[in-house]
Every structure is written in structure tokens, then in C-alpha cells.
Amino acid sequence: MVKIQDLRGKTMGGNSKRSKIKNIARHHSATDVGDVFSFQRHWKSKGWVTGGYHEIILRDGTVQLNYDPNVVTNGIYGHNNTTYHICVVGNGNFTPAQEKAFDERAKYNMKRFNLSVNDVNGHNEFSGTNTACPGIDMKKVRARLKGYKVETPKSKVKSETTTKGTIAYIQKTLNDRYGLKIAVDNIFGPNTKKALVKGYQRELNKQFKRGLAVDGIWGPKTKSASVNIERGAEGNLTWILQSILTCKRYDTLGVDGIFGKNTESAVRAFQRDNGLGVDGIAGPNTFEQLFS
């Protein structure tokens, strides 16, 4: 069974309802990382009241359950009244854990909506669309759902010298700076988040003599040891702040350890999206939400 994060009631909108579902649509996010809360910033900028997807499958295979089936979301123009939308985070490259999760969720939803495999379609297979989404050959996906053996996508984990991307840079820097050995795969997952917490704990110990256990686990002691970081700050704590914001798809326009206006804007956007006081200062509560 896949891991489910039930976020129904915590996501934007969801007031428009329907009674009939005729299709399941697969999407991709066209991003390397992200989750429903980071995607909501984009949806809100478009003036949407409700988000795009009923479910989002994260890079580690975790499924975010965002809306009940009877909610009309904004996945495909002209088809939303009868379509259940599932988005797989990625840009044409997906992990085996994601494919496993998609198969499990597709089969579950096919059963409860009384649909066939042929009712599972990619975004670009719907009439009136012109898009590369969902970034995968849906014929192979449907063959897999029917039980045929189809080659499983290979993991995108590569060597440190060949993997590129902002998250890969963050992962490599964490390894080099703090003596860690996490995979440099340009995928933000639990190990990268844990490594960022370790870096944060180590910097608090080094700069402020906090005496924390460097275990990568966010808890009350780490929160109480936290300091406020604000515009004008420079150094490794700011770098860690920029890194976790970037991994959560809040663009600081550079991970350089300098807290300027772009980092402040990203902090404000994150605080606003997560119900925090919006002051642009990264303090204990902001870091707690970032590392949750």
C-alpha cells in the first residue's frame, strides 16, 4: 500500500461538485519537485478557485489526496465535470515508486468509479488539448494496468559528476560541506530533507553553541534552538534556508547564502501559503513548517 497524505479540507476551494466520473486523467507537473501547496501558488496566480488535481504523486511515491471525487477541479479545460485528475510530479521522468503508486491508485479508482483501463487517459489524449503532458506513453501505462509486462522506468539516480540540476547541486554541497553520503539524483526526498536538517543543526551548534544532536530529526529541541534569519543575513544558515525553499518550489532565484529581496519574497510566499505570520523573517515556526 502506498503512503497517503490526506489533505482534503486543507487545499484551496473545492466547492463545485459533480455526480458522474467518466475518465481518469494522468498529468505530470512539468517540474522536478513540488507538492500541492507549492502548486497552489501557481493556481492562485491564474485566478483559480480550486486546484488542478484530486491526487498528486510525489517523487518518493507518496500520494497527496487533495479533493473528494465529487469535487470539480481544474485539470483539463472542457473535461473537468466528468474527470478525476492524478498528477505525477516530474517532467517526463518518473521514479519506479511513482509508477507503482500510480498503478495502485488507478486500479483503486477504476474499481470505485466502475471504469475500464481504456478510461484511463493522458492529458494530451483529451479532445481540444495540445500539450506534452503527461510526459509518458499512455499505451504502455494502460498495457501495464491490464497486466502486461512493461519495462519499468529506471531510477534517475546518477553519479555526482554527471547529475545536473539545482537540487543535485544542493545534495552535492551537503555531502561536501557536512561529510554526508546522500544520493545526488536531483530528486527532493526524505533523505535530502534529513540532510538539510542535519546541516541546520550543525550550523546552530557551530555558530550558536546549541549542543544539538545532529540526527536530521526536527523536534522541540531543534525548534527552540532556532534563530531568526532575515534580509541582510549571509552564510550557511541562509544557504540552508534557500535550499529548503527551493526544494519546496519557492524560487529564491539563486542558492548563494545571501538573504536578499528574492529570498525574502520566497519566505513571504511560503508563510502566506502555510498560514504563518507573513513578515519575511525565517524563524522557528517558519523552519518547522519548511522541515515538516
Side-chain angles (χ1 to χ4, degrees):
M1 294 287 290
V2 299
K3 178 181 177 182
I4 303 287
Q5 292 180 356
D6 190 348
L7 302 174
R8 290 173 296 179
K10 300 179 181 178
T11 50
M12 58 188 280
N15 296 321
S16 181
K17 303 296 173 64
R18 45 68 180 303
S19 59
K20 180 68 174 178
I21 297 173
K22 296 181 180 180
N23 295 94
I24 296 170
R26 173 164 170 158
H27 302 260
H28 72 177
S29 65
T31 61
D32 290 331
V33 297
D35 63 8
V36 66
F37 297 110
S38 58
F39 297 152
Q40 280 188 161
R41 288 192 302 136
H42 173 66
W43 297 333
K44 289 177 180 177
S45 74
K46 295 169 72 71
W48 293 2
V49 175
T50 299
Y53 315 119
H54 294 88
E55 301 184 20
I56 294 175
I57 302 177
L58 306 182
R59 298 296 286 178
D60 65 355
T62 298
V63 175
Q64 292 185 318
L65 187 59
N66 306 314
Y67 298 101
D68 285 322
N70 66 337
V71 173
V72 179
T73 63
N74 286 294
I76 305 172
Y77 180 77
H79 298 275
N80 293 317
N81 285 335
T82 57
T83 304
Y84 188 83
H85 299 284
I86 302 177
C87 175
V88 186
V89 176
N91 192 13
N93 62 318
F94 312 105
T95 67
Q98 287 180 300
E99 295 300 339
K100 181 179 179 181
F102 179 83
D103 288 0
E104 182 176 317
R105 296 302 297 171
K107 290 176 181 178
Y108 168 76
N109 287 308
M110 285 162 53
K111 183 176 181 179
R112 68 171 173 162
F113 303 145
N114 195 27
L115 302 177
S116 73
V117 170
N118 291 331
D119 297 318
V120 181
N121 306 111
H123 183 164
N124 57 8
E125 294 182 308
F126 286 78
S127 62
T129 61
N130 182 20
T131 176
C133 182
I136 194 170
D137 186 345
M138 287 301 297
K139 292 180 180 178
K140 291 183 178 180
V141 173
R142 285 189 288 271
R144 199 172 66 212
L145 292 172
K146 290 178 181 178
Y148 296 116
K149 187 175 181 180
V150 178
E151 183 180 358
T152 301
K154 295 181 179 178
S155 173
K156 294 295 179 178
V157 177
K158 303 177 183 178
S159 69
E160 294 189 7
T161 57
T162 59
T163 304
K164 297 181 180 180
T166 303
I167 296 176
Y169 154 72
I170 291 169
Q171 291 166 327
K172 186 176 187 305
T173 302
L174 286 167
N175 286 342
D176 293 345
R177 184 173 292 168
Y178 301 113
L180 305 176
K181 295 181 180 179
I182 60 171
V184 180
D185 54 11
N186 204 41
I187 297 171
F188 178 60
N191 290 335
T192 301
K193 182 169 71 173
K194 187 173 184 178
L196 283 166
V197 176
K198 283 185 176 181
Y200 183 67
Q201 292 168 329
R202 192 163 295 181
E203 292 298 334
L204 289 173
N205 288 344
K206 180 180 178 180
Q207 298 183 39
F208 299 97
K209 312 297 183 185
R210 297 304 202 214
L212 295 169
V214 181
D215 54 11
I217 299 171
W218 181 273
K221 291 184 179 179
T222 301
K223 181 178 181 179
S224 65
S226 295
V227 296
N228 288 340
I229 304 175
E230 57 189 285
R231 189 166 178 174
E234 295 186 18
N236 290 345
L237 281 171
T238 297
W239 183 90
I240 289 169
L241 171 64
Q242 292 172 325
S243 295
I244 189 64
L245 283 166
T246 298
C247 286
K248 293 208 163 187
R249 208 165 173 256
Y250 289 81
D251 195 355
T252 59
L253 297 181
V255 183
D256 56 7
I258 301 173
F259 199 129
K261 65 178 182 179
N262 295 320
T263 300
E264 182 180 34
S265 294
V267 171
R268 286 181 176 274
F270 178 83
Q271 291 171 329
R272 188 177 303 111
D273 290 347
N274 288 273
L276 299 168
V278 180
D279 58 7
I281 299 172
N285 292 331
T286 298
F287 273 109
E288 183 173 48
Q289 286 292 323
L290 283 167
F291 287 129
S292 65

